[in-house]
Amino acid sequence: MTVSPPQAPYVSADLYAQIQQFYSRQMNLLDGSAADPVAWSQTFTEDAVLGSNFQETPDTGRAAILKSMRDALAHISAQGTGDFRHWLAMIDVQPQPDGTLRTRYYGLAMATPEGGSLKIRGHVLCRDELVRQAGRWLVRRRHLEADGVPA
């Protein structure tokens, strides 16, 4: 019989709900015609690092992260994708001794051209380090691992 390794303790339901709400609000800032990449970038620390397996070097600092997101949204818009949405699921939250949180979750990006059918643009495994600053959660580090090549 195989015994599974012990799991880290669960976070409280309140903290888990806070993190779910954080991600819901963060990703809604990128969706649809009302996307607000400036507000989205404010959900990262000033010195945040955002890297992935589909870019050569990570974006370091809020300004670089904002520039990359603006470029990505312009690319998506130029393709005539219509409604663009994100779906996050399977969020695992692990508290760290220093008060930060490590999270792991899946992200699905979808687009529906006007009059067309829903298309999956990409699926990623996301790993974040969240810190609490001025009473709110912010991303200090994010790493995305895309399945295949993002559209």
Side-chain angles (χ1 to χ4, degrees):
M1 175 164 104
T2 304
V3 177
S4 299
Q7 297 293 315
Y10 291 110
V11 296
S12 71
D14 179 62
L15 179 57
Y16 193 80
Q18 286 178 40
I19 300 310
Q20 283 185 306
Q21 191 170 48
F22 167 78
Y23 285 125
S24 294
R25 289 180 177 174
Q26 184 188 50
M27 297 316 293
N28 275 296
L29 292 169
L30 295 179
D31 289 349
S33 61
D36 186 348
V38 173
W40 176 82
S41 73
Q42 298 297 312
T43 65
F44 289 80
T45 63
E46 207 49 64
D47 62 346
V49 176
L50 192 157
S52 70
N53 67 344
F54 51 90
Q55 67 188 109
E56 288 185 30
T57 58
D59 297 320
T60 301
R62 191 181 284 160
I65 292 168
L66 173 58
K67 182 189 179 316
S68 287
M69 184 49 66
R70 281 185 166 150
D71 291 348
L73 290 173
H75 173 76
I76 291 165
S77 178
Q79 294 177 337
T81 56
D83 287 330
F84 186 68
R85 304 279 186 258
H86 291 86
W87 183 272
L88 302 181
M90 306 294 290
I91 302 169
D92 182 45
V93 180
Q94 298 292 321
Q96 302 302 301
D98 64 359
T100 63
L101 300 175
R102 298 272 169 93
T103 62
R104 181 185 187 278
Y105 55 97
Y106 296 111
L108 190 62
M110 302 153 289
T112 308
E114 189 172 328
S117 297
L118 173 78
K119 298 208 182 333
I120 304 297
R121 291 188 49 86
H123 181 267
V124 294
L125 167 61
C126 311
R127 297 175 195 273
D128 286 356
E129 178 184 5
L130 304 178
V131 297
R132 192 119 173 116
Q133 290 183 357
R136 63 187 195 128
W137 290 105
L138 298 173
V139 178
R140 182 164 49 197
R141 295 188 69 82
R142 174 169 288 167
H143 186 77
L144 309 173
E145 295 175 31
D147 296 336
V149 178

